[in-house]
Amino acid sequence: MAMDAELLTLAGATAEALVQAMVSDGWTSARARIARVLGGGDPGRVPVEEAALERSGLALRRNEVPAFVMTGHWQGRIVELLTRRPEDTEEIAGLLRELRDRATGGTNVRVGGDNNGNLIVGDHNVARVRRSEPR
């Protein structure tokens, strides 16, 4: 079965924002909202999701798991939710907007193919560019 590219993109962007939130000052308040969304309409799932989110956040903050691995894990969880409950797509999109709006503090690391080999690291609204040497 082929995966829908839009679903994968939404899940990936949401997972990335979620992992970023795990290392932000607003994680505690964001975690409850995220758990409700990931609960997929089942109030009994909310505490289970909140516990999973807390374990993930703790592992990330302790550097026990790399951010890209954690992002992949949560992308998979979000894809599973959206595959099972496609009606939650708007809820996940709203969560993504909220997470992006909340993004404060922490460290953002972004590596992209369109930055001429530069690694851009942002730390509390201060950005530093580390240029790679041409090969």
Side-chain angles (χ1 to χ4, degrees):
M1 174 172 97
M3 297 299 300
D4 181 309
E6 287 183 30
L7 180 139
L8 287 172
T9 301
L10 174 61
T14 304
E16 185 178 319
L18 170 61
V19 168
Q20 187 66 44
M22 288 178 180
V23 295
S24 74
D25 294 337
W27 172 236
T28 302
S29 62
R31 186 181 62 225
R33 163 80 169 109
I34 296 163
R36 283 192 302 278
V37 173
L38 294 176
D42 179 356
R45 293 274 328 148
V46 173
V48 173
E49 295 297 343
E50 195 160 359
L53 287 161
E54 182 53 28
R55 284 190 306 273
S56 292
L58 191 57
L60 191 63
R61 289 186 302 276
R62 289 180 176 170
N63 294 315
E64 295 171 352
V65 178
F68 76 92
V69 172
M70 192 65 72
T71 300
H73 167 75
W74 285 103
Q75 180 179 11
R77 293 282 312 275
I78 294 166
V79 165
E80 188 276 326
L81 171 68
L82 292 176
T83 300
R84 189 172 30 87
R85 293 182 46 92
E87 65 271 19
D88 286 351
T89 300
E90 283 305 312
E91 188 80 18
I92 294 294
L95 175 61
L96 173 58
R97 284 188 299 276
E98 283 181 38
L99 289 171
R100 286 180 171 169
D101 288 345
R102 286 181 188 227
T104 59
T107 300
N108 297 315
V109 177
R110 178 92 57 204
V111 178
D114 60 344
N115 64 7
N116 297 322
N118 298 327
L119 173 63
I120 302 170
V121 179
D123 186 346
H124 299 286
N125 299 320
V126 176
R128 294 179 300 281
V129 177
R130 296 183 186 147
R131 301 198 187 284
S132 61
E133 295 300 318
R135 295 177 193 199

